[in-house]
Amino acid sequence: MAFSPDGHALATASLDTTVRLWDIATSKTIATLHGHTQGVISVAFSADGCTLATGSEDKWRGCGTLAPAKPSTP
């Protein structure tokens, strides 16, 4: 598992082949990411929090860009 640099999200790796992103404040799943064919064993955020890297038992390494949060309007 890995916390985003801003501390608002958590990424979890799973042996069910998925990666889940969680909203820390609500403890709800933001997204479930698919693509690996075997269990995911590692996840890591980039320093700016816009990229998530994954590693799996299928020896495939994933790297994806996360959409930046939309700025809130006053």
Side-chain angles (χ1 to χ4, degrees), residues 14-37:
S14 178
L15 293 178
D16 73 0
T17 73
T18 64
V19 172
R20 287 184 177 78
L21 296 177
W22 301 86
D23 180 323
I24 297 297
T26 64
S27 298
K28 293 186 179 181
T29 304
I30 300 168
T32 302
L33 309 175
H34 303 272
H36 288 286
T37 60

Side-chain angles (χ1 to χ4, degrees), residues 33-67:
L33 309 175
H34 303 272
H36 288 286
T37 60
Q38 293 184 13
V40 182
I41 55 176
S42 63
V43 290
F45 282 96
S46 62
D48 64 5
C50 292
T51 303
L52 182 67
T54 62
S56 173
E57 292 176 335
D58 59 15
K59 303 198 187 318
W60 184 77
R61 292 172 187 87
C63 188
T65 302
L66 303 173

